[in-house]
Each structure stands twice: as C-alpha cells, then as structure tokens.
Amino acid sequence: MVGYVCKYTPYLVIESFGEKTVRIEPETNSCEVANALTHPNMCSYAKLVLEDIVKKGIDKVILTNCCDSIRRLYDILETLPFIKFLHIIDLPRRRDQKGKFIFKNEIIKLITRYEDFLGKSFNRANLRDLLNNMPSSTEKRYRDLNIVLIGGRCRDSLIKIVEEFGGNVLYNLTCTGNKPSYRPIGMNEDPIEAYANILLDSYPCIRMDDTKERVDIFKDERRIDGAIYHTVKFCDLYSYEYASLKDKLDIPLLKLETDYTDTSEGQIRTRVQAFIESLKKSINKRENTTKREKRLIVAGIDSGSTSTNVVIIDSEKRILGYSIIPTGARSVESAYKALEEALKIANIKIEDLSYIVATGYGRIGIPFANLEVTEITCHAKGAFFLDRDVRTIIDIGGQDSKIIKIDEEGKVIDFVMNDKCSAGTGRFLENMSRVLEIPVERMGEESLDWKEDLEISSMCTVFAESEVISLIARNKERKDILHALNKSIVKRIVSFIERIDGEPKYMMTGGVAKNAGVVRCLEERLREKVIVPDEPQIVGALGSALIGLEKLEDG
Amino acid sequence: MEKIIRVYSSLIKRNLDKPELVKVLIRLGLEVAKVWVDYVGDKNAPESLRYLNSICFKFILEPLRDPNNSAFVNLLAPTEILHSMDIYPLFIEAYSSFISGFYCEDTFIDKATTEGISDTLCSYHKTFLGALELSVLPRLKFAITSSILCDGNSNTFRYIANRYRIPYYIIDVPYKYSEESVRYVVSQLKEMISIIEAISGKRFDIDRLRDIIKLENKTRRYLKLYLENLKNHTMPNSITLEMYKLFVTHPYIGREETLKFFKLLAEDTVRYPDSGYRIFWIHIMPYFLYPAQRYLNFNGDFKLIGCDLNFDYLEEMDERKPLEAIARKMILNVNNGDFKRKIDNIKGLIVDLKIDGVIHFCQWGCKQSFGGFMLLKREIEKMNIPFLAIDGDAVDRRNNPEEQINTRLSAFFELLNQRGKRW
C-alpha cells in the first residue's frame, strides 16, 4: 500500500504497477508522536499525517512539495527507519506548457524510481487503461440550497454535516475536493503526458501561480446560496483567499477553522446548522398564518457548557418563570432539573407546556424537546425581543464567544464565533479567578477601582496565565491585574466585532456580561453604551421560547 | 531614546485614519533615524558595522522616496536584475522589521487579522499586509518574488498586487537542481524581464547585468575572507547588526555600497582578538528581546559569530551567463530543497567557525524553519555542541514569553560555562 496526500499525486502510475494506493486521511486526534518529531505549531494536518504514517506503519509514501509543512514532513520521514519507499514530486506552480513539461518529467522520475524499487518495468498500456476507466467530470446537481465548500483540506464529516442540515455541496474546492476531469486517451497519445496535463488542468489549489479559476465559480452566484470557507489551524495559505473573498461575495459566507481532528465537531455542527438555518430563512418567505386563540405556554432550554437556563413564557410573551443552574456531568439531567425549577416558579406542571425548544451545546441530547435551534438564532431572537434597536449581540459564555449581527427585523445577518480556543470566554475568567484567588462574581466590581494601567498582551489563556503570575510576582495590585485582564478580553471581543462590522446598539449577554469591569472596558473601547439585560444568562433560553411560540402560532 | 520612539509610535497609531499622513510619518521616521545613525550611531560597533547601519537605512529609504521607480521584493528575489535596471527594491521583511522597531507592529498585525489573514501566519507578512490594509504602504510600480523560502511569499505578493492593481511576477523555483530546472527558471526570468521593461519603460542590458554579477562575485570574495578571518578573531556584534546583514547578503548584494561594506568588514575583523564562547544563531533574530540583547550584544563572554541565513549561498557566479547564474543561485540556495542541505551547511559552518553553542529561534508561523528543528537539533547534538531552541517572534512583541526566554538563555549560557569551550 502506497500512501499519498496531495490531489496532484499521479497515483495511477503506481496502480499501473499493480500496487494499491491510499490517500492518507488521518483519523487520529492525538499528535504525541508528531510532537516529538517536529514543532507543535506545524500545520495540524501535516502532524496528523505523520502520526498516521507512524501508527499505521505506512512504509511507502509519495509526497509533493506542495507546502512548507509537507516539505518538512518529507524530511522527517526520511529519517524514519521503517519507511521503505519515499519520494517527493517537485510540483510546478505554473499550469501552462512550461509547468506541464516539468511535471511530466517529474512523473517519469517517479516511474523510474518505482521501477528500481520494485525491480519491475512500467507498462504504458496499463496506465492508459486506468486513465480511460476514470470518470469524466459529472454534471453539477443543483438543489434547493446550494453551498460552495472552499479552502483548505477538510474531513468528510464536514460535508456530511452540511448535507444533514439540508445543504447541497455544489462545489468542493478544498484540497480533498474537486477531482480532475478525465478524458479518453488515444492509442497514439503518450499517457504520461496526458496524465500530467489532466492533473494540472484540474481546479488549481491555492499554491498555484494563477488561481483565478477558483473564484470564477462564484460568477454562478445566482445558483449558489452560500459558501463555507474552511481553514486548518496553522495552515495559513488559504486565509489570503478568504480575506480577499469575504468582502467581494454577495452571498453569505461562513468561516470555519478546525485542527483536522473531530474534537470540535459539536461546535462545527452548531455553526453549520445556524448558517444553514439563516440561509433557509432568507430563501423561504414566511407565510402569514392565523394565530391560535388558545393560551399557549412554551419553555426554552439553553443547555450551555457552564450553565443550563430555562425560560417559560405565555402567548402574550410574558415570562412566567426562569432558572439558571450549573450544568453537571450529564446535560440531560441538568436540563430536566432546570426545567423543574422554572416550572415551580411559574407554578405550572410540565403537562401545561405546549412546546419545548432546546438550544445550546447540549440541545441535541434533550429527549423531551420538540425542536432544537442553535444558540445563535436564539440569542438574536431574545436580544431583539428585549430591545428592538439592538444590532449587535455580544454573547460571552462559558467556553464560547459569539458576536451576532442582526438587521432591523431581528434577522441574523452575520456572526463570528471563537474556535476551540477559550481565550476571552468565561473559562478564561474562571482560570484567572483561581490564580488571583477571587470569586468570579467579585472580579468585575473589584476591577472598577483600578489605578495602574497594566497590560496583558497575550489573549491565549495559557500565556495570559503566565503573564498574570509574572505580575503577581512583581507585587502588582490585584484590581489592576483584573483591569488588565478585562482589557485583554475586550480586545478579542472588539476584533470579532470588527470582523463583522458590528454596529450599535450593542447588547451583551451570557455570564461574562455580569462582570461590570468587562462591560465598562468594552464601552470605553467601542465608545458606545452596551446594554446588559437584567438577567443576561437567560437571553438564549428566552429566544428559544419565543421561537417555539412562533412555531405554534404559525401552525 | 525608547521614549521618543514610543511618542512617535503613538503619533502613527493615532493618525491611522489619515493614511497619507502616516506614509509621510513613516518615511520621516526613517529619514531621522538615518541622520541619527550617520552622526551618532552605536558607539560600541566597529566602523564597518556602523557603515552597514547607515546603508540599510539608505536602501530602505530609496523606494520610499521614489515609489514610481521601485518594486516590492522578498528576501530571495533576483534583485540583480533590478539593480541592473536602476530600479529600487523594497524588501518587505525589512519594512516589517522597521515597523516593529517603531512599536507599531501590534496595530498593523491586528488590522491584517481582522481582515481575515490567519493569526498563525509569519508576523513579517502579517505586518506588511496590515500596512497594506491600512493603506499606509506606498504603491510601488510592480512586485516580484521567488517561491523560496516559504509559502507566504507567493500569496503575500499576489495579495499586494491584486489590492494595488499592479503587475506581479512569481518565480517558481524548483525544489531539485538539474539543467532542466535551470532552464525552467531562466525562461521565467526572461519573461519577467520583458514585463519589467514594459512597465518601467527601461531597457534591459545583459552587459549591465554581467557587471552587477561581477560586483557580486567580488563582494562575495570579501564575505568569504570575512568568514576566513572569523576563524581566528571575534569581532563585536549585536543581534540587530547581524540581522542588518540580511540586506547585504541578499537583496542589496550587487551594489557598490555592499562591496564597500564587506571590504571594511573583512578588514575590521582582524583588529579583534579571539575571545569568549562562540555562539551561532539559526534563523532570524528577535533584536528587541532584552534577554538576547543582554547576553549577545557586544558581550565579552558570549560572542555572536553569525547567523546561518547570511551564509546560504557562497558560490562564485558565472559572469558570462548571468541569467543561468541567478537561476543556479536560487535553486541551490541552502534553504531550498531538502532540509539536509541546510543541516549540512550549518554543520560545515560550525566546524569552520569553531562554534561552542547554537541557538535556534523558532519564529512564530515559520513552518519551513521550525518544522525541521528537531532534525537539526539531533545532528548538532551528535557533534557534541549544545543546542537551544527558543519559541518567539522577531516582529510581534506580544508573542514572546520574555521571562521564559530569559530563563532558557541564562540556563544555556550557564551550561556553556560549565562545559567549557568546545574547540
């Protein structure tokens, strides 16, 4: 079995020797072997490939010099004793005749090396047969909701998530996506040259000299409803294209970054689901339906990573009761407990509820909910209900921070969300409260009395902690350190707000909104008032209850 | 001095909504710095290095003063062609370094990342892209880059060119050397020259290029003499000045000023005796980091002998066939191709220069370099030479855990003291 990674690898050449090939798709989530062999900040994908090769004992590998990380992967593999065959193809960046000539010769070099390795001759007819059996490009299948998936390499699971929520991946322009368009090779044609041409004629990856074809597909905008731009942590190449595209496209664009493991799949699901929900809303005009006269009571459950919150409302949108409890080890139990508590306050029984909507991290696992909706849609709904002038919602929860931009009808226009990193979230403050020995709930108040304007430059939880320790060692006042932490959180929030061109009025929700120091710093940075609801932690649950009510009213 | 620069920095940051003014402020800052370097400068530095400091400011100012006769380039672009046509190169990594020297890198980087550029990209590129996004970067005539030494080059240059709507050319340098790959690069150089002729309205003269290559060869002979002299002498040096040498070993080699510098340098070297531990630096240098300054700037005990990037191509070039010579120089650069090339070059320098300790700086985002640092570490340790790797950022101060770096460097130098000299 010969492993390869790049879509430009002429793997059929190897198969023409009767050998099997496999495109390496790492399934592991850990990098312990790779971290010992290279630097931890290498591209996550390259590290996982290294891990996979070592763990699965793939002893024959063909790489291309496609990027810095893969080049170094080649150098590392060269030192591993179990590798029997290792070859790197010098892939040209040019796709014109000059590039194709170079590439053809590179394929010949690979053939010669493999002939030596196997002690077997290459057969052109075999390659021609294989090429002639490959499918030519298939007709694009347009459906109701067409998505372009573009950017760096992604796992197949991302495509499945998009499809699960009703999206049709019309184009897949990630490294693993678009297949070359094969064509019949005549008897008088050199199959090696033809193969080189076919591979270089496929949609260019970002490494290529001329990448215009990649963005040309968006000329088909009227048939495309949205795009998802995926990047891999520590692979920077595609961020240039994202930066150029994001302001040019007229269609909604969702930016996702993963480390190529499935550890952040829950978060990715939420974001993809919210994105597709917002696309669907803009596609389907809501029909006016008659309202039911019956008194309806709806519960919204926000099952978050830190707290579980429940709001119960009636058909007049009055809050009958609510609860906030810490999320325990089992989110379902916490949801049930929080619901019971809110029912008690509202003085009603569970049977009185007409509808239950779940949102938040644990929304999928709540069996008694009638509907699940992402917290992005719910926060937008809740915040707009509380103040119709709000245009930007800043929701900083236990492990997520989200900035949501809404229009004058309360619909989500755009949003950003942190990735796996917990910088600037409630978790960040919790860590710091431990280091500074102060309860989380007192941090905000104490920071308001700051005197010395200290700086904590790092936004990373781990690095910031060591900076805080240094400040403690220098006998700095706790209130000043707290103020510096607030500024650091706000800096991150503001960069998110800028990313979606956030506009006033601003509303802050989530547990961190209870920290008066963060709110004041944010107001100073934005030079705008930031509204904090009386109970900022229940806005998501309130929004989900409102969505439930609309659902019932719409029939 | 730091206070003055801080005031100047806040002036720039306060006026970012007026990009034309900021462009003037940046140029003015560099003009003032050049005057300071020419008349005051670093009294600890030998004459040659003071001259180096001065010509680096001259080189960076030329394109800023005359943008219509200038081009954006990267560290390994074939600037000999530009020198032969009297076009000024603006070396983007140097521009970013100066922005960092002005304490402005944080704002520039934040702007780039807010626009969607990855925060894990190398900070040299992020700073430069930030300047572009803030519209404080002058619009030069065109941009040329080679695909070596890292992935960032082609993408950054394409981004600049598309934003400023200027022509650009990426020279695709093959990974492996062969006569065919030389021909491939030569054909691209020819194509690039005709594009430059059309944009600039200047005619390319191959004989003029031959003269530049002759000058370059002559300069490199002095560089080699300097290396030879370093075997028995250790001259005062600093991390900033060693970084400045990148100007003259790369984009500005082929200039008369560079020849004069290396001549002075080779002469200066023999004026100093051999003393202290000989330290060799791998990759770029965080010139602003106090722990590194404390141990290496004009230090009597630990002498900064050199940086590998300044010795990445030491061959004589064929003056008769200048385009082929440039192509060979690019393909055979030790930082192109297998990492083994780089390792072998460093090992050779360690032996030649009798190095006692090696420090590898893992620059934030520089995967081509830190991706192979474990391979390098293993090989250098086999030579019984202490090796220290430091993670940090030579542009963005925020990415440097200064206390940890201080502890690591201190421990490393303690270790060297305990082990004694290697040679």
Side-chain angles (χ1 to χ4, degrees):
Chain A
M1 185 74 79
V2 182
Y4 67 96
V5 294
C6 172
K7 71 166 190 167
Y8 291 108
T9 312
Y11 66 96
L12 290 177
V13 158
I14 300 300
E15 291 191 358
S16 70
F17 282 96
E19 292 280 305
K20 286 205 169 112
T21 62
V22 61
R23 191 166 70 182
I24 302 172
E25 297 292 350
E27 287 155 5
T28 174
N29 284 339
S30 71
C31 288
E32 67 255 46
V33 178
N35 281 340
L37 291 169
T38 184
H39 195 279
N41 289 357
M42 278 287 275
C43 148
S44 317
Y45 170 74
K47 278 197 298 181
L48 289 167
V49 169
L50 176 55
E51 195 80 16
D52 224 39
I53 288 174
V54 174
K55 284 186 179 159
K56 291 182 182 162
I58 301 172
D59 58 3
K60 297 188 272 293
V61 181
I62 299 172
L63 301 171
T64 64
N65 64 336
C66 55
C67 66
D68 290 336
S69 297
I70 298 295
R71 280 193 279 275
R72 292 298 86 91
L73 172 66
Y74 168 79
D75 295 310
I76 293 165
L77 291 179
E78 219 177 14
T79 65
L80 301 183
F82 72 89
I83 298 283
K84 290 181 187 152
F85 181 82
L86 177 66
H87 186 82
I88 188 161
I89 295 167
D90 200 350
L91 180 67
R93 285 172 181 77
R94 297 178 68 122
R95 297 161 66 229
D96 58 5
Q97 284 314 314
K98 281 184 188 143
K100 283 172 178 164
F101 177 75
I102 292 282
F103 192 41
K104 178 190 136 189
N105 287 339
E106 279 298 308
I107 298 179
I108 293 171
K109 282 180 204 163
L110 169 67
I111 291 170
T112 312
R113 270 211 67 201
Y114 210 68
E115 279 181 328
D116 288 348
F117 173 73
L118 280 186
K120 198 171 162 184
S121 292
F122 169 72
N123 186 325
R124 277 171 192 264
N126 287 355
L127 178 63
R128 183 180 290 109
D129 290 347
L130 284 171
L131 285 165
N132 283 335
N133 283 328
M134 293 303 284
S136 58
S137 72
T138 47
E139 189 76 11
K140 292 277 162 228
R141 291 168 69 185
Y142 292 92
R143 293 201 183 126
D144 289 345
L145 209 150
N146 300 307
I147 305 266
V148 172
L149 184 58
I150 183 166
R153 206 172 188 98
C154 68
R155 282 191 169 213
D156 284 347
S157 56
L158 177 60
I159 300 165
K160 285 188 188 131
I161 292 171
V162 173
E163 287 169 351
E164 184 187 330
F165 294 113
N168 171 38
V169 179
L170 189 65
Y171 291 94
N172 179 353
L173 294 191
T174 63
C175 287
T176 30
N178 67 99
K179 309 267 186 299
S181 181
Y182 290 92
R183 58 175 177 76
I185 315 292
M187 290 306 286
N188 297 325
E189 211 177 338
D190 174 8
I192 299 173
E193 189 178 340
Y195 195 18
N197 294 349
I198 287 169
L199 288 173
L200 281 188
D201 282 337
S202 63
Y203 272 111
C205 77
I206 200 71
R207 174 194 184 275
M208 292 307 186
D209 185 10
D210 181 9
T211 54
K212 200 173 149 286
E213 245 177 272
R214 293 175 59 80
V215 287
D216 278 353
I217 56 146
F218 289 104
K219 286 179 181 161
D220 198 13
E221 262 182 25
R222 64 203 159 80
R223 307 287 296 270
I224 299 169
D225 301 299
I228 297 177
Y229 206 101
H230 176 256
T231 54
V232 177
K233 193 82 188 158
F234 295 115
C235 164
D236 311 313
L237 291 180
Y238 284 94
S239 76
Y240 293 88
E241 187 176 62
Y242 166 72
S244 322
L245 269 182
K246 75 178 193 339
D247 296 326
K248 280 187 197 153
L249 293 184
D250 288 332
I251 52 168
L253 178 66
L254 172 69
K255 168 77 169 25
L256 292 178
E257 181 156 296
T258 67
D259 59 3
Y260 210 82
T261 66
D262 60 13
T263 52
S264 53
E265 204 169 297
Q267 205 174 48
I268 297 296
R269 285 180 82 81
T270 304
R271 297 173 66 182
V272 170
Q273 189 185 356
F275 180 65
I276 291 179
E277 274 168 15
S278 68
L279 291 180
K280 280 180 181 166
K281 274 193 181 168
S282 60
I283 294 168
N284 302 321
K285 300 263 183 206
R286 186 161 297 221
E287 290 175 9
N288 290 326
T289 51
T290 50
K291 289 185 179 177
R292 292 188 182 181
E293 283 180 7
K294 186 191 154 197
R295 187 185 182 226
L296 304 168
I297 300 176
V298 178
I301 304 174
D302 182 357
S303 170
S305 64
T306 312
S307 69
T308 302
N309 319 311
V310 170
V311 170
I312 298 173
I313 59 168
D314 65 10
S315 49
E316 301 302 314
K317 298 178 183 168
R318 284 179 300 223
I319 297 178
L320 304 178
Y322 72 85
S323 63
I324 302 168
I325 66 158
T327 304
R330 282 177 50 82
S331 59
V332 188
E333 276 168 22
S334 306
Y336 198 74
K337 230 165 106 185
L339 182 63
E340 270 189 332
E341 209 169 292
L343 286 167
K344 217 156 124 192
I345 294 164
N347 198 19
I348 51 169
K349 292 185 186 126
I350 196 160
E351 309 81 87
D352 298 329
L353 291 175
S354 316
Y355 209 70
I356 300 173
V357 179
T359 186
Y361 262 99
R363 67 185 182 281
I364 300 160
I366 298 173
F368 44 89
N370 302 93
L371 178 70
E372 43 147 307
V373 184
T374 65
E375 52 270 39
I376 291 164
T377 308
C378 292
H379 272 275
K381 181 63 83 184
F384 188 71
F385 172 75
L386 294 173
D387 189 330
R388 297 182 76 84
D389 293 327
V390 166
R391 293 293 172 268
T392 308
I393 302 138
I394 301 146
D395 173 47
I396 315 292
Q399 66 177 38
D400 274 347
S401 45
K402 310 177 197 76
I403 312 294
I404 308 160
K405 191 174 171 184
I406 56 175
D407 64 12
E408 60 281 358
E409 289 173 26
K411 285 186 193 147
V412 177
I413 309 171
D414 201 355
F415 65 91
V416 275
M417 189 172 163
N418 66 321
D419 296 295
K420 263 170 86 177
C421 172
S422 66
T425 65
R427 187 79 79 237
F428 177 80
L429 283 177
E430 270 173 23
N431 268 3
M432 298 308 160
S433 86
R434 215 178 40 247
V435 177
L436 290 165
E437 295 176 334
I438 177 175
V440 174
E441 51 277 12
R442 275 187 39 219
M443 290 174 90
E445 205 187 314
E446 185 165 323
S447 70
L448 293 173
D449 292 330
W450 66 275
K451 295 279 178 301
E452 192 184 350
D453 196 9
L454 301 175
E455 281 293 332
I456 289 175
S457 52
S458 179
M459 281 183 268
C460 164
T461 310
V462 181
F463 286 140
E465 186 171 326
S466 74
E467 281 189 57
V468 167
I469 291 167
S470 301
L471 290 172
I472 296 171
R474 283 161 51 197
N475 283 328
K476 294 291 174 191
E477 292 281 331
R478 188 167 70 183
K479 57 192 177 190
D480 297 329
I481 302 176
L482 287 170
H483 174 64
L485 283 172
N486 294 346
K487 285 197 301 177
S488 149
I489 292 178
V490 164
K491 208 166 172 187
R492 186 166 169 89
I493 296 175
V494 170
S495 78
F496 276 155
I497 294 176
E498 284 173 356
R499 222 181 278 176
I500 57 165
D501 292 326
E503 292 164 10
K505 273 185 177 176
Y506 296 97
M507 179 183 278
M508 189 161 175
T509 63
V512 177
K514 288 182 170 173
N515 183 317
V518 172
V519 176
R520 185 171 302 170
C521 276
L522 185 59
E523 288 180 328
E524 283 165 7
R525 269 299 295 270
L526 294 171
R527 292 187 193 154
E528 287 286 342
K529 175 96 188 118
V530 174
I531 303 160
V532 179
D534 293 341
E535 188 40 85
Q537 276 179 282
I538 62 163
V539 178
L542 171 64
S544 60
L546 289 165
I547 289 169
L549 192 63
E550 279 177 10
K551 194 92 188 163
L552 286 179
E553 287 173 347
D554 290 351
Chain B
M1 182 51 115
E2 193 187 320
K3 273 187 186 165
I4 299 171
I5 305 175
R6 291 268 189 194
V7 171
Y8 166 71
S9 161
S10 71
L11 190 66
I12 292 180
K13 288 180 180 175
R14 275 204 312 272
N15 286 291
L16 286 171
D17 53 341
K18 302 177 197 84
E20 288 307 315
L21 173 64
V22 172
K23 266 186 217 171
V24 175
L25 282 173
I26 291 173
R27 206 189 114 185
L28 203 65
L30 290 165
E31 298 274 9
V32 171
K34 180 165 183 347
V35 173
W36 188 86
V37 162
D38 286 349
Y39 293 98
V40 187
D42 195 336
K43 302 284 183 206
N44 294 311
E47 192 201 339
S48 54
L49 295 180
R50 285 164 64 97
Y51 178 67
L52 170 70
N53 210 344
S54 169
I55 58 173
C56 288
F57 278 99
K58 178 176 192 255
F59 292 149
I60 194 82
L61 277 163
E62 283 169 349
L64 300 181
R65 287 172 184 158
D66 191 3
N68 279 327
N69 186 36
S70 305
F72 295 110
V73 300
N74 73 323
L75 183 72
L76 293 164
T79 45
E80 291 92 343
I81 290 164
L82 300 185
H83 300 325
S84 79
M85 297 174 83
D86 296 316
I87 294 170
Y88 300 125
L90 178 72
F91 159 31
I92 70 161
E93 294 90 337
Y95 180 90
S96 298
S97 270
F98 282 114
I99 294 297
S100 166
F102 293 160
Y103 293 94
C104 290
E105 82 281 3
D106 52 350
T107 314
F108 282 48
I109 287 172
D110 289 349
K111 177 66 182 169
T113 52
T114 301
E115 291 302 320
I117 296 294
S118 169
D119 57 358
T120 56
L121 178 70
C122 158
S123 299
Y124 284 94
H125 289 258
K126 277 188 295 190
T127 305
F128 198 74
L129 293 165
L132 178 79
E133 296 290 0
L134 289 163
S135 308
V136 301
L137 192 67
R139 185 175 181 275
L140 306 187
K141 208 78 180 160
F142 60 96
I144 58 169
T145 184
S146 68
S147 57
I148 43 176
L149 132 115
C150 69
D151 291 336
N153 292 322
S154 45
N155 285 290
T156 295
F157 278 72
R158 183 158 53 206
Y159 197 84
I160 302 167
N162 288 342
R163 181 58 58 92
Y164 272 174
R165 296 180 190 279
I166 55 172
Y168 71 103
Y169 198 91
I170 300 170
I171 300 159
D172 180 17
V173 181
Y175 200 55
K176 299 171 196 167
Y177 177 82
S178 67
E179 278 313 305
E180 179 191 301
S181 56
V182 172
R183 280 195 294 275
Y184 178 53
V185 174
V186 168
S187 74
Q188 294 179 69
L189 291 174
K190 285 180 179 164
E191 197 173 67
M192 183 186 85
I193 288 168
S194 49
I195 293 171
I196 298 175
E197 282 184 319
I199 308 160
S200 65
K202 292 182 173 182
R203 262 203 70 230
F204 169 74
D205 177 356
I206 191 95
D207 287 329
R208 177 87 178 93
L209 183 61
R210 283 190 183 108
D211 292 341
I212 298 288
I213 302 294
K214 265 183 209 159
L215 201 64
E216 182 166 345
N217 278 335
K218 208 169 160 190
T219 306
R220 204 166 273 120
R221 273 174 232 137
Y222 279 112
L223 168 62
K224 285 194 206 164
L225 177 60
Y226 158 66
L227 262 178
E228 191 58 35
N229 292 344
L230 269 183
K231 290 180 183 173
N232 301 308
H233 302 271
T234 46
M235 71 184 289
N237 200 0
S238 76
I239 43 178
T240 309
L241 291 166
E242 191 59 33
M243 270 294 273
Y244 274 138
K245 285 186 195 146
L246 286 176
F247 276 81
V248 284
T249 51
H250 292 88
Y252 300 94
I253 195 162
R255 291 273 301 252
E256 289 285 357
E257 297 90 333
T258 303
L259 171 66
K260 184 181 163 189
F261 160 69
F262 275 109
K263 191 167 177 295
L264 282 172
L265 183 70
E267 288 164 5
D268 258 350
T269 325
V270 291
R271 288 189 234 281
Y272 298 91
D274 186 13
S275 70
Y277 290 95
R278 295 172 151 252
I279 308 298
F280 196 68
W281 194 279
I282 312 286
H283 210 41
I284 48 184
M285 321 185 93
Y287 65 91
F288 50 74
L289 269 187
Y290 173 69
Q293 291 173 352
R294 178 183 151 203
Y295 284 109
L296 294 171
N297 282 7
F298 308 112
N299 191 307
D301 296 333
F302 304 102
K303 292 282 167 57
L304 175 62
I305 297 298
C307 167
D308 71 315
L309 288 174
N310 283 319
F311 308 111
D312 57 0
Y313 189 77
L314 297 172
E315 304 307 311
E316 187 89 5
M317 295 169 77
D318 186 350
E319 296 159 3
R320 292 161 308 161
K321 293 181 175 172
L323 293 178
E324 284 78 358
I326 292 171
R328 277 195 183 88
K329 181 182 156 189
M330 288 200 279
I331 303 167
L332 289 171
N333 184 294
V334 297
N335 290 300
N336 186 41
D338 297 357
F339 204 70
K340 200 173 169 299
R341 263 195 211 175
K342 175 173 167 169
I343 294 177
D344 289 345
N345 187 51
I346 292 170
K347 282 166 74 177
L349 286 162
I350 287 173
V351 174
D352 283 352
L353 298 172
K354 296 182 235 160
I355 297 300
D356 297 306
V358 171
I359 300 173
H360 185 294
F361 189 70
C362 297
Q363 164 69 17
W364 177 258
C366 188
K367 288 166 265 292
Q368 66 84 14
S369 162
F370 64 54
F373 95 100
M374 284 301 291
L375 301 176
L376 186 62
K377 180 179 159 68
R378 244 181 271 151
E379 288 296 316
I380 289 177
E381 284 175 350
K382 270 187 212 161
M383 297 171 79
N384 200 20
I385 306 283
F387 178 97
L388 173 74
I390 307 172
D391 286 349
D393 196 324
V395 179
D396 190 349
R397 289 171 176 78
R398 297 171 297 183
N399 284 335
N400 294 290
E402 199 155 332
E403 280 307 314
Q404 277 100 327
I405 292 176
N406 193 21
T407 307
R408 284 184 204 185
L409 277 172
S410 304
F412 184 67
F413 290 119
E414 281 167 14
L415 178 150
L416 281 183
N417 264 327
Q418 281 165 16
R419 286 176 64 144
K421 280 184 71 67
R422 166 74 173 79
W423 307 91

